[in-house]
Amino acid sequence: MTALDENKDGVISAAEIQNAEKALTALDKNGDGKIDGNELRPSFGGPGGFGGRSSSKGRSGRGNSRGDEPGIERIPPEKLDFKDGVASIPDREMFEKLSYQGPIVMVDTHLANWKFVKFQIEDVDKGEPVLYFINTKTHRGHPMFMRQIGIQRGDGSMRGVLVYRPLKRSPNGQPGMFTFEYEPNDRYPFDRIQLSYEMLTKHMPYLEGRLGYYPMPRARPVYFEEKALYDAAGFPVVLDEDLESDIGFLPLNAAESFGRLRLMKPDELPSSRDVVIYKTLPNEMPRVAGVITAVRQTPLSHVNLRAIQDSVPNAFITGAAENREITSLIGKFVYYKVTSNGYELREASAKEVDKHFADIRPAKLQTPKRELSVKEIKPLDKISFDDSDAFGVKATNLAMLHTLDFPEGTVPSGHAVPFHFYDAFMKHNGLYDKARAMLNSKSFKESRDEQIKQLKAFRKLVKSGRMPGWMMEDLAKLQQSFANGQGIRCRSSTNNEDLPGFSGAGLYDSFTHKSDEGHLAKTVKQVFASLWNFRAFEERTFYRIDHFSTAMGVLVHLNFSDELANGVAVTDDILYQTKGNYYINTQVGEDLVTNPDADSIPEELLLDWWRPSDYKVMRKSNLVKDDKLIMTEGQLEQMNRYLGKIHSKFSKLYGKTLEDTKFAMEIEFKITKEGTFSIKQARPWVY
């Protein structure tokens, strides 16, 4: 590969690949048209420490094990140019300047897309060890660095890598941990590893309480042989099986924003300009500028789906409510950014905040499509994908699930009440005029508390409204299609939710009509009223969505009760970003994954796309005893097949191709009390 690297910068460019034939021809030293083993073997020495042989007998630098080739005098670490490296790293900012992250990692393929800084320790055998931190942006590999500063191949270097692992909790309890490792074939004894730890923390004090040793595969047997020494040492050892446990930071949604940082109490309501810190995960939350939780979230909760659709940063940060770097900014304007490598939180100016919100709001009023010419309730098997303008995407997508060859009962049978019913009901009761008067009143415009109060009163007015006779008759017929005593689930299905790029998750409410509640109209009006939830109103206002073009349909089907488990699945790994996996959250009983209880930890699994029986457990439910999984092996394999069919079906419906990697479907499912699957919702995942 060195032959291809014409400019010797350690990187093989596209131009050098085009010249590969010429470069490889140069290796054919005897001109026989073949490159044999001797011609492939690199030669060492020369003015850069590596390269062609020299016949010179002189020596201006240190010798090496390859003969008497001359070399440059080795540069001590404190005299390095920054472009090559440094003797010490005083803070995290310096680490960032020296580190590399990306796909070009030479032979160290396991480091691809990790943030790392390479280092070397010299003269250990002499009892005078010297540490070099390599500018890894300049020198991706140790050989290029050694050649540049005069370290000879035979000097007995300990060549290591310092890797930042953002998700791992540090020994000091803070989010983000560093590990150090050596080359794949190195098998250093404990005393060398302890020396490495001491030198790294001495010359990079920031590593105190944040550093652990990661033994590469061939070094693992040595670690286990000397495990007693490691157990007594003052630093942890991180094995492969430990990398995905004890998570201290989890980027639920990578984004950046501005706002005022607030530590929220359970009964407080944030504003759209607040960056909120929650000690527990709220079940409901209006639009905010950013989210930090001190407890681990599920990426499929309504809170995170809201963060994704609003493009605001959201992360779990361990100990956030006690972290002085965070709490010192409470009450101040801040800039908050979440990436896969960590988070940034700093004080910001009011001017920055105002500009940010002016930039992200749409400039013009948005008018959702609604088709009011459809005036009859239809069964799902009579609805097509193109009918969403009349019934809402939630209803039409469930109808499309019926076209797949799933066993009977997998997708609930039901009916869809069109937008026409909502529009006719609002007009029949003069509610549009009353809503306009409310929105135009001075008190409503000037006070958020008044908005909350008046919207609550308006919802009460909607629920007490009278339906025209024809509507009561149609809903009565629908109710009679269900057996006596059965609960009927009435679910919101609007024209501004479950859309590509905007899920609307958690904005509106669904209700169960019980057999002793009389006419179905009572529950349908509750769903109608939820269109005027404060969180939904505020969301539409922020995005300048016309409140009076927004329409509510109702998806009606048999209610689920006493289920064994509930869950959410996505046809892509949207959390850990692995390739070729489905991501699934499941919890036992009726403790919803989308709105979990405060102490609930759902099960997390990755299912392999191509091998239906293969899965990986990322986290187990805290509500399951005996270390068991919630679903059986057979159910997991069945789920895998279902997800494949759903993704294939909807990718065609939404006009996606195999090249559209940013498309996935999210489903909500239940395991019924009979132990069978039931899929109750499908919508595009919002990337």
Side-chain angles (χ1 to χ4, degrees):
M1 300 300 285
T2 303
L4 302 182
D5 187 12
E6 296 174 353
N7 60 6
K8 308 304 178 189
D9 64 349
V11 178
I12 299 175
S13 66
E16 288 168 337
I17 291 174
Q18 293 177 348
N19 293 333
E21 182 178 356
K22 178 180 178 181
L24 292 174
T25 301
L27 290 177
D28 183 16
K29 298 180 177 63
N30 60 11
D32 64 353
K34 300 177 182 179
I35 302 174
D36 61 28
N38 289 326
E39 291 168 330
L40 278 176
R41 187 174 297 116
S43 57
F44 300 96
F50 295 88
R53 288 185 173 273
S54 170
S55 60
S56 170
K57 301 286 186 179
R59 187 190 301 262
S60 60
R62 300 173 59 85
N64 61 41
S65 59
R66 303 292 298 180
D68 289 334
E69 298 86 349
I72 65 171
E73 188 72 33
R74 191 175 89 187
I75 303 172
E78 61 273 10
K79 294 186 177 181
L80 290 176
D81 287 336
F82 182 79
K83 67 178 179 62
D84 295 318
V86 296
S88 62
I89 300 180
D91 49 37
R92 176 66 182 273
E93 288 71 26
M94 180 67 79
F95 176 84
E96 297 291 331
K97 293 177 181 178
L98 295 168
S99 65
Y100 171 77
Q101 182 178 24
I104 306 174
V105 291
M106 314 282 295
V107 297
D108 302 313
T109 54
H110 70 289
L111 295 177
N113 298 316
W114 288 97
K115 183 174 291 186
F116 62 91
V117 167
K118 293 196 170 183
F119 66 88
Q120 290 195 201
I121 302 178
E122 299 293 320
D123 301 336
V124 177
D125 293 335
K126 296 181 179 181
E128 300 175 352
V130 178
L131 173 64
Y132 291 83
F133 287 106
I134 301 172
N135 187 326
T136 313
K137 285 186 171 69
T138 306
H139 305 291
R140 204 79 75 248
H142 292 91
M144 286 76 79
F145 172 75
M146 295 166 67
R147 179 174 59 201
Q148 180 68 21
I149 73 160
I151 297 177
Q152 302 299 315
R153 188 73 171 182
D155 286 353
S157 304
M158 293 178 66
R159 295 185 284 274
V161 185
L162 185 62
V163 183
Y164 179 59
R165 304 187 182 276
L167 305 190
K168 186 80 177 154
R169 190 198 308 262
S170 287
N172 65 6
Q174 295 296 308
M177 183 178 182
F178 292 82
T179 61
F180 67 97
E181 63 188 55
Y182 284 100
E183 295 189 329
N185 292 323
D186 290 334
R187 296 162 52 88
Y188 293 119
F190 170 77
D191 61 342
R192 290 287 186 99
I193 301 303
Q194 185 177 43
L195 172 68
S196 304
Y197 177 85
E198 292 171 352
M199 294 192 71
L200 287 168
T201 53
K202 176 183 177 181
H203 293 278
M204 185 177 169
Y206 181 82
L207 294 176
E208 285 286 356
R210 294 182 170 92
L211 182 63
Y213 170 52
Y214 172 72
M216 294 287 279
R218 291 200 63 186
R220 283 174 61 109
V222 179
Y223 159 68
F224 286 112
E225 289 170 6
E226 300 183 301
K227 191 174 184 300
L229 295 174
Y230 283 99
D231 291 343
F235 60 91
V237 175
V238 180
L239 304 176
D240 285 325
E241 51 267 35
D242 302 322
L243 292 176
E244 292 163 351
S245 63
D246 197 21
I247 298 297
F249 167 76
L250 203 58
L252 278 299
N253 190 47
E256 58 185 331
S257 184
F258 291 84
R260 190 182 299 278
L261 187 65
R262 292 181 61 193
L263 179 60
M264 304 303 298
K265 296 178 181 178
D267 57 345
E268 283 188 299
L269 189 67
S271 77
S272 61
R273 290 195 170 205
D274 289 336
V275 175
V276 294
I277 304 172
Y278 281 103
K279 291 184 178 180
T280 59
L281 186 65
N283 285 337
E284 290 187 7
M285 188 176 67
R287 192 187 199 285
V288 294
V291 184
I292 299 172
T293 62
V295 293
R296 187 168 171 180
Q297 304 176 41
T298 164
L300 303 179
S301 68
H302 281 165
V303 170
N304 189 51
L305 292 178
R306 291 288 308 281
I308 293 171
Q309 74 183 29
D310 294 338
S311 298
V312 300
N314 179 24
F316 154 60
I317 302 173
T318 184
E322 293 76 39
N323 187 323
R324 293 187 64 184
E325 293 180 358
I326 295 175
T327 57
S328 64
L329 295 171
I330 289 176
K332 300 178 181 179
F333 288 128
V334 297
Y335 167 73
Y336 174 40
K337 180 179 181 179
V338 172
T339 70
S340 59
N341 292 306
Y343 68 94
E344 180 182 351
L345 194 66
R346 64 164 175 82
E347 189 169 356
S349 67
K351 184 177 180 180
E352 286 180 297
V353 175
D354 290 340
K355 183 180 184 304
H356 169 73
F357 283 97
D359 289 344
I360 64 175
R361 286 195 72 194
K364 298 180 179 179
L365 181 70
Q366 301 187 75
T367 305
K369 293 181 180 179
R370 63 175 187 172
E371 176 56 64
L372 300 178
S373 63
V374 178
K375 299 181 180 182
E376 60 181 293
I377 299 171
K378 289 188 178 182
L380 294 181
D381 59 6
K382 300 297 183 181
I383 293 174
S384 73
F385 184 70
D386 296 328
D387 289 331
S388 60
D389 289 350
F391 296 97
V393 175
K394 185 180 293 183
T396 55
N397 278 6
L398 195 69
M400 291 304 96
L401 289 176
H402 276 281
T403 64
L404 301 173
D405 58 344
F406 293 151
E408 185 176 354
T410 302
V411 182
S413 298
H415 293 73
V417 178
F419 296 152
H420 174 75
F421 277 53
Y422 169 80
D423 182 66
F425 170 79
M426 294 291 286
K427 290 176 179 176
H428 184 73
N429 291 275
L431 291 171
Y432 282 140
D433 292 337
K434 292 175 182 178
R436 287 189 177 91
M438 175 181 65
L439 269 58
N440 290 328
S441 69
K442 182 178 180 181
S443 60
F444 189 91
K445 290 180 178 180
E446 294 180 352
S447 171
R448 193 165 184 257
D449 289 339
E450 275 296 311
Q451 290 177 359
I452 295 170
K453 178 182 175 181
Q454 292 186 38
L455 283 168
K456 182 178 180 180
F458 185 76
R459 291 196 300 276
K460 186 176 180 180
L461 195 62
V462 173
K463 287 183 278 189
S464 64
R466 296 177 62 85
M467 286 187 171
W470 65 266
M471 194 178 297
M472 294 290 286
E473 292 176 6
D474 286 356
L475 291 176
K477 291 179 182 178
L478 174 60
Q479 186 173 358
Q480 291 167 8
S481 68
F482 292 87
N484 289 333
Q486 286 186 334
I488 303 173
R489 189 66 172 166
C490 296
R491 300 170 61 194
S492 62
S493 182
T494 72
N495 57 350
N496 69 333
E497 62 179 327
D498 296 345
L499 302 170
F502 189 90
S503 74
L507 293 182
Y508 308 105
D509 296 328
S510 299
F511 299 89
T512 299
H513 187 82
K514 299 177 182 178
S515 58
D516 60 354
E517 289 187 291
H519 200 288
L520 185 62
K522 171 183 178 292
T523 304
V524 170
K525 286 189 290 185
Q526 287 179 295
V527 178
F528 285 171
S530 75
L531 189 137
W532 296 94
N533 286 336
F534 174 72
R535 61 182 181 273
F537 169 81
E538 193 171 51
E539 188 83 0
R540 293 195 302 267
T541 300
F542 185 89
Y543 285 102
R544 303 188 195 277
I545 295 172
D546 181 12
H547 300 293
F548 300 98
S549 295
T550 303
M552 177 66 76
V554 185
L555 172 61
V556 183
H557 58 69
L558 183 67
N559 184 54
F560 298 94
S561 61
D562 301 324
E563 61 257 28
L564 300 178
N566 77 94
V568 181
V570 184
T571 60
D572 192 10
D573 177 11
I574 43 81
L575 181 60
Y576 299 100
Q577 304 296 316
T578 62
K579 300 297 184 183
N581 288 300
Y582 304 125
Y583 178 84
I584 299 182
N585 270 181
T586 315
Q587 188 56 287
V588 296
E590 299 182 12
D591 181 12
L592 296 179
V593 166
T594 52
N595 286 301
D597 292 337
D599 298 323
S600 175
I601 300 175
E603 177 182 272
E604 290 183 61
L605 300 178
L606 297 179
L607 304 186
D608 190 286
W609 286 356
W610 313 113
R611 294 183 290 273
S613 60
D614 286 2
Y615 62 88
K616 186 174 184 179
V617 180
M618 308 304 290
R619 186 172 61 161
K620 293 188 176 180
S621 166
N622 65 336
L623 302 183
V624 177
K625 298 179 180 179
D626 303 324
D627 207 34
K628 293 181 180 179
L629 296 181
I630 294 175
M631 289 188 282
T632 66
E633 301 273 344
Q635 288 172 334
L636 290 175
E637 188 169 341
Q638 186 181 28
M639 170 63 78
N640 192 310
R641 294 196 300 270
Y642 287 0
L643 290 174
K645 290 181 178 180
I646 290 169
H647 184 91
S648 177
K649 175 71 175 182
F650 283 94
S651 61
K652 294 176 183 177
L653 289 172
Y654 282 105
K656 303 298 180 180
T657 66
L658 293 176
E659 287 71 34
D660 293 315
T661 57
K662 290 297 184 181
F663 176 79
M665 290 297 293
E666 172 205 349
I667 70 162
E668 292 186 22
F669 66 91
K670 294 182 182 292
I671 305 296
T672 68
K673 58 185 177 182
E674 292 79 23
T676 59
F677 269 118
S678 183
I679 302 173
K680 68 171 191 173
Q681 184 163 315
R683 60 186 170 202
W685 176 256
V686 181
Y687 279 94

